[in-house]
Amino acid sequence: MMKDQILGHLNHPGELEKLYRSNKSLFRREFNSLYPEIQGSRFAVFWNERLNYERDEINWANRRELIFVVIAIIVAGLTAKLPAFLHIDEEYFYTRNAGFIIFPALSVYFAWRNKRSTGKIAIIAGLALAGLLFINWLPDTPKSDTLMLSCMHMAFFLWSLLGFAFVGGKDSNGEKRLAWLCFNGDLVVMSALIAIAGFILCGVTAGLFSLIGFNVEKLYQDFLLPFGLPAVPVLGTYLTQTNPNLVGKVSPVIAKIFCPLVLGMLIIYLVAIVITGKDLYNDRDFLIVFNALLIGVMAIIFFSVAESTKTTNSKIEIWTLALLSTATIIVNSFALSAILFRISEWGLTPNRAAVLGSNVLILVNLLLVTVLLFRVLIGKNEITEVGKVITYYLPVYFIWSTIVIFLFPFLFGFK
């Protein structure tokens, strides 16, 4: 197959040129389908620019794939409407099953598009089904911390299964895993653009109909939101996969702009905490916001590193990443010390155990990334090594989310 030959000769320019000349249209089609997985390779970036430089129009791929995406959007929308169809309490349904509206559709899309083996598809489907049955089996105990933790970590559990469908499993190379991180950044950018355009269209439409005395808010609530919101990431995924250049030049720019801005914000925030004397140890709500900030900044670091592996970066960019990672370690240390203090004072609870475990895992990951970033600065490592450390650490978070979802309810008596 042409696809296998491209993968086999990815680092051999002469052989790729022979393949291209043997069947240019087939080579272009197969290469474009592979590119999201191999875009971490500089040779792949070169060939992508060569093959798609003059393509300014949107590529809608083939009819089968477009039909598949339309069906996925309809199924996701119908899933979101299940509370109305089956008269299920909306709070009960969406709290437990929100992730199952989007992630399974995307997992099926990648499993189908990347032609995953029956065994791998069975693993993905089996784990997703286990999560679905378990999260809906948990007793509806009022103010249950373990239930809320399971619901929160279920999103990451399903995101990890989506990554498995995208990458292909533990035997996949580092380039595919880096492509997975890049895809998430591209998807955020594309989904934001689609959502903004959709909101503008909805606002204009509602305004026009209101002029003739027709209220469309009920129509929006009953049909547009259940089908439109799931459609955003599905359509965003489809566009990023069939048109890798569509946001391929935007995401690196966003990463370069945001990193120094976030670094400045983080430094100012840490100084402000010291000046105001904010009590991190006894203010529970502030600690929750602090941990959310930590996760958000860490995600920006990981996305920026993934984007950095595709191009040669200046030392200023690497310094920015290294300093941002260092500042995030300081933030993590504050949060970790606050959690340990609260556990020593008031004992171990499900929430404190979950936050403690997450903070320890994040700290270890950030330390590894920071050390490698400084080694890049002194010329002892390549930036691609930093990306590999990030991608190969991701399964650790999946294991932790699995523990929180399936074991915490039993360990803490469903409290």
Side-chain angles (χ1 to χ4, degrees), residues 86-158:
L86 303 179
H87 305 290
I88 303 173
D89 180 69
E90 290 189 356
E91 182 178 355
Y92 177 92
F93 178 83
Y94 291 121
T95 301
R96 298 170 184 247
N97 301 285
F100 291 96
I101 297 173
I102 300 296
F103 288 110
L106 296 181
S107 296
V108 171
Y109 171 73
F110 280 119
W112 172 76
R113 192 174 195 271
N114 297 332
K115 299 178 180 178
R116 298 302 175 211
S117 65
T118 304
K120 290 179 179 179
I121 293 175
I123 292 173
I124 296 171
L127 289 174
L129 180 61
L132 176 65
L133 295 176
F134 183 82
I135 203 70
N136 286 283
W137 169 82
L138 287 175
D140 192 19
T141 305
K143 298 182 180 180
S144 171
D145 289 337
T146 54
L147 173 61
M148 188 56 61
L149 287 170
S150 293
C151 293
M152 291 171 59
H153 285 76
M154 183 58 70
F156 189 86
F157 179 83
L158 294 173

Side-chain angles (χ1 to χ4, degrees), residues 18-48:
K18 290 179 183 178
L19 288 174
Y20 175 65
R21 290 175 181 266
S22 67
N23 191 332
K24 292 183 180 181
S25 60
L26 178 62
F27 183 93
R28 181 193 297 273
R29 185 171 64 252
E30 295 295 340
F31 180 88
N32 284 336
S33 68
L34 273 174
Y35 184 67
E37 299 180 10
I38 61 176
Q39 58 183 332
S41 167
R42 293 179 182 177
F43 288 111
V45 173
F46 166 78
W47 274 96
N48 181 62

